[in-house]
Coordinates of all heavy atoms in Angstrom, one line a residue:
F208 N 157.0 156.4 111.6 CA 157.5 155.0 111.3 C 158.4 154.6 112.4 O 158.2 153.5 113.0 CB 158.4 155.0 109.9 CG 159.2 153.8 109.7 CD1 158.8 152.7 109.2 CD2 160.6 153.8 110.1 CE1 159.4 151.7 109.0 CE2 161.4 152.7 109.9 CZ 160.8 151.6 109.3
I209 N 159.3 155.4 112.9 CA 160.2 154.9 114.1 C 159.6 154.8 115.4 O 159.9 154.0 116.1 CB 161.5 155.9 114.2 CG1 162.7 155.2 114.7 CG2 161.1 157.1 114.9 CD1 163.1 154.1 113.7
K210 N 158.5 155.5 115.7 CA 157.7 155.5 116.9 C 157.1 154.0 116.8 O 157.1 153.3 117.9 CB 156.5 156.4 116.8 CG 157.0 157.8 117.3 CD 155.7 158.7 117.3 CE 156.1 160.1 117.7 NZ 154.9 161.1 117.7
K211 N 156.5 153.6 115.7 CA 155.9 152.2 115.7 C 157.0 151.1 115.8 O 156.7 150.0 116.5 CB 155.3 152.0 114.3 CG 153.9 152.9 114.2 CD 153.3 152.7 112.9 CE 152.0 153.5 112.7 NZ 151.5 153.3 111.4
K212 N 158.2 151.3 115.4 CA 159.2 150.3 115.4 C 159.9 150.2 116.8 O 160.2 149.1 117.3 CB 160.2 150.6 114.5 CG 159.9 150.5 113.0 CD 159.5 149.1 112.6 CE 159.1 148.8 111.1 NZ 158.8 147.4 110.8
L213 N 159.9 151.3 117.5 CA 160.7 151.4 118.7 C 159.7 151.2 120.0 O 160.1 150.7 120.9 CB 161.5 152.7 118.8 CG 162.8 152.8 118.4 CD1 163.8 151.8 119.3 CD2 163.2 152.4 117.0
G214 N 158.5 151.7 119.8 CA 157.5 151.5 120.8 C 158.0 152.4 122.0 O 158.2 153.5 122.0
K215 N 158.0 151.6 123.2 CA 158.4 152.5 124.5 C 159.8 152.8 124.5 O 160.2 153.7 125.2 CB 158.1 151.4 125.7 CG 159.0 150.3 125.7 CD 158.7 149.5 127.0 CE 159.6 148.3 127.0 NZ 159.4 147.5 128.3
N216 N 160.7 152.2 123.5 CA 162.1 152.8 123.4 C 162.3 154.2 122.6 O 163.3 154.6 122.4 CB 162.9 151.7 123.0 CG 163.2 150.5 123.9 OD1 163.1 150.8 125.2 ND2 163.4 149.3 123.4
F217 N 161.2 154.6 122.1 CA 161.2 155.9 121.5 C 160.9 157.0 122.6 O 159.8 156.9 123.2 CB 160.2 156.0 120.4 CG 160.2 157.4 119.7 CD1 161.1 157.6 118.6 CD2 159.4 158.3 120.0 CE1 161.2 158.8 117.9 CE2 159.4 159.6 119.3 CZ 160.3 159.8 118.3
K218 N 161.9 157.8 122.7 CA 161.7 158.8 123.9 C 161.5 160.2 123.3 O 162.6 160.7 122.6 CB 162.9 158.9 124.8 CG 163.4 157.4 125.2 CD 162.4 156.7 126.1 CE 162.9 155.4 126.6 NZ 162.1 154.7 127.6
K219 N 160.4 160.9 123.3 CA 160.2 162.3 122.8 C 160.7 163.2 123.9 O 160.2 163.2 125.0 CB 158.7 162.4 122.5 CG 158.4 163.6 121.8 CD 156.9 164.0 121.6 CE 156.6 165.2 120.9 NZ 155.2 165.4 120.7
R220 N 161.6 164.2 123.6 CA 162.1 165.1 124.4 C 162.0 166.5 123.9 O 162.7 167.3 124.0 CB 163.4 164.8 124.8 CG 163.7 163.5 125.7 CD 163.1 163.6 127.1 NE 163.5 162.5 127.8 CZ 162.6 161.5 127.9 NH1 161.5 161.4 127.2 NH2 162.9 160.5 128.8
C221 N 160.8 166.8 123.0 CA 160.7 168.1 122.4 C 159.1 168.2 122.2 O 158.4 167.3 122.2 CB 161.5 168.2 121.2 SG 160.9 167.2 119.8
I222 N 158.8 169.4 121.7 CA 157.5 169.7 121.3 C 157.4 169.9 119.8 O 158.1 170.7 119.3 CB 156.8 171.0 122.0 CG1 156.9 170.8 123.5 CG2 155.5 171.3 121.4 CD1 156.4 172.0 124.4
R223 N 156.7 169.0 119.1 CA 156.7 169.1 117.7 C 155.8 170.3 117.2 O 154.8 170.4 117.8 CB 156.3 167.8 117.0 CG 157.4 166.7 117.1 CD 156.9 165.5 116.6 NE 156.7 165.5 115.1 CZ 157.8 165.4 114.3 NH1 159.0 165.1 114.7 NH2 157.6 165.5 113.1
K224 N 156.2 170.9 116.3 CA 155.4 172.0 115.7 C 154.1 171.5 115.0 O 154.0 170.3 114.6 CB 156.2 172.8 114.6 CG 157.3 173.5 115.1 CD 158.0 174.1 113.9 CE 159.3 174.9 114.3 NZ 160.0 175.5 113.3
K225 N 153.0 172.2 114.9 CA 151.8 171.7 114.5 C 151.9 171.2 113.1 O 151.2 170.3 112.7 CB 150.6 172.9 114.7 CG 150.2 173.3 116.1 CD 149.1 174.2 116.1 CE 148.7 174.5 117.6 NZ 147.6 175.6 117.6
E226 N 152.6 172.0 112.2 CA 152.7 171.6 110.9 C 153.4 170.2 110.7 O 153.3 169.7 109.7 CB 153.3 172.7 110.0 CG 154.8 173.1 110.5 CD 154.7 174.3 111.4 OE1 153.7 174.4 112.1 OE2 155.8 175.0 111.5

Side-chain angles (χ1 to χ4, degrees):
F208 170 83
I209 207 66
K210 279 181 182 177
K211 291 179 181 178
K212 292 297 181 182
L213 270 290
K215 65 179 182 180
N216 288 330
F217 181 86
K218 315 288 185 180
K219 184 180 178 182
R220 294 291 184 269
C221 69
I222 299 174
R223 292 179 66 81
K224 296 177 182 179
K225 288 184 179 180
E226 58 267 24

